[in-house]
Amino acid sequence: MTATTASALDGAIENLRSWLDAGHRTPQEIRATVYRLGLAWPHFPTGAGGLGLDPVTGVAVTARLSAEFGLPAVPARSVIACGMAAPTLVAHGGGHHHPLLRRIYVDQEIWCQLFSEPSAGSDLANVATTARRDGDRWVVNGAKVWTSLAHEAQWAMLLARTDPDAPKHRGLTYFIVRLDAPGVSVRPLFQITGEAEFNEVLLDDVVIPDSDRLGGVGDGWSVAITTLTSERGALSNVARPGGNAVDRAVRLWHQCEHRNPVDQVRLADLWIRDRLVTATLNRTADDPTGSTGPMHKVLSAELHQDVAEFTAGLLGRGALEYPRGYPMTRPDTSAEAEHDLLYDYLRSRGSSIEGGTSEILRNIIGERILGLEPEPRVDKAVPWRETRRG
Ligand SMILES: Cc1cc2nc3c(=O)[nH]c(=O)nc-3n(C[C@H](O)[C@H](O)[C@H](O)COP(=O)(O)OP(=O)(O)OC[C@H]3O[C@@H](n4cnc5c(N)ncnc54)[C@H](O)[C@@H]3O)c2cc1C
């Protein structure tokens, strides 16, 4: 950190301290001031909610602010906006997108991710939604699936095909789009939990101004990589067993009538894994390359599933009942909700799918981090239009 940046940081923290000491402030006022002082994302550029710090220092400053001033954690419904849209806007957007960053942080505008399609999940580069250029605007048609929060979001990140004659990774372009644009319809998808946290989103002649394109025409894949890398970091925390799930399992174990030594060893094992994952996450939270993201996501997701399964098993026959039933509801995303054990068990199944399945993340670790032999990809150099698709 240069001397100028260090003094800008000290000044911003002192300003925040004296402003907070001066009287009662609402959460919205606090967020507005944190943003104005460049402390929202300290590693973002000045004027975009940051101070231009390097990422490692930025993470340390955020941790310090939360410990010293008790700044509230990002609510569940803002994880996509703060953890995925904001870094993508900063890396690939223009200055005219900076007001969106303020609205994400201060007004807590909600974003969603229009990437996956029925035939483009793990094979995301197979996206078939089209964007056709029409002067200084684009006309988009297609269907997206599993779009979390689309029913609450104001904005979406969108990956669309602009050149079907280019190989699949090279014919994609990245846009941002308002969810209230004419031609966007959002339908709930009923999940195993009884909730509809995600949706099908239909795009029917949706018009997007060219100024809402991020990156070059045909460069959508590299912009999407920024979003996906950020997503794995953001989801490592979300996928972790929430609310001290292992401690809850230990409490339940003490009340359980049918304890056996084999399960006792399993419980001890889960506790060890939980503490190790937490310690590793904390130790590598400032990894500026994001290369530890896939590792954290795999570890967190699989631990979440194992703890949820163990705990549900302690309920014995009770685990066969699902008292909340299946009236389709929308989840409460305003805060970290406390869920019952069976809900947690059912929801945990999605942890190893969302944000890239554990199989795909292991492939990424093998190929991109360890430099192992890549998977055979027969359609990589073929025009997308000529590839075989389901
Ligand atoms: C709770 C939840 C929320 C989600 N939210 C969003 C969202 O907001 N926006 C969005 O765009 N998407 C979202 N998704 C979609 C998610 O990204 C996809 O489900 C995921 O990428 C897997 O794609 P798929 O479901 O099509 O499975 P497929 O790609 O069809 O995979 C099926 C199985 O085959 C395996 N497989 C596939 N290819 C390979 C390979 N090359 N090597 C080894 N194994 C392979 C997979 O691991 C998986 O087990 C969400 C999913 C869930 C569960």
Side-chain angles (χ1 to χ4, degrees), residues 80-96:
I80 295 177
C82 287
M84 294 157 60
T88 310
L89 286 167
V90 158
H92 302 280
H96 63 288

Side-chain angles (χ1 to χ4, degrees), residues 80 113-118 120-123 145-148 191 197-198 347 350 353-357 359-360 363 375:
I80 295 177
Q113 180 193 26
L114 291 172
F115 280 18
S116 299
E117 298 179 7
S122 300
D123 188 11
V145 274
W146 307 301
T147 316
S148 307
Q191 287 164 248
E197 89 193 74
F198 54 31
R347 178 59 184 83
I353 303 173
E354 61 195 319
T357 68
E359 291 80 10
I360 293 299
N363 286 352
E375 275 194 284

Side-chain angles (χ1 to χ4, degrees), residues 177-195:
V177 58
R178 281 201 64 88
L179 265 279
D180 59 4
V184 178
S185 28
V186 176
R187 298 180 185 163
L189 290 175
F190 199 15
Q191 287 164 248
I192 191 174
T193 52
E195 286 183 337

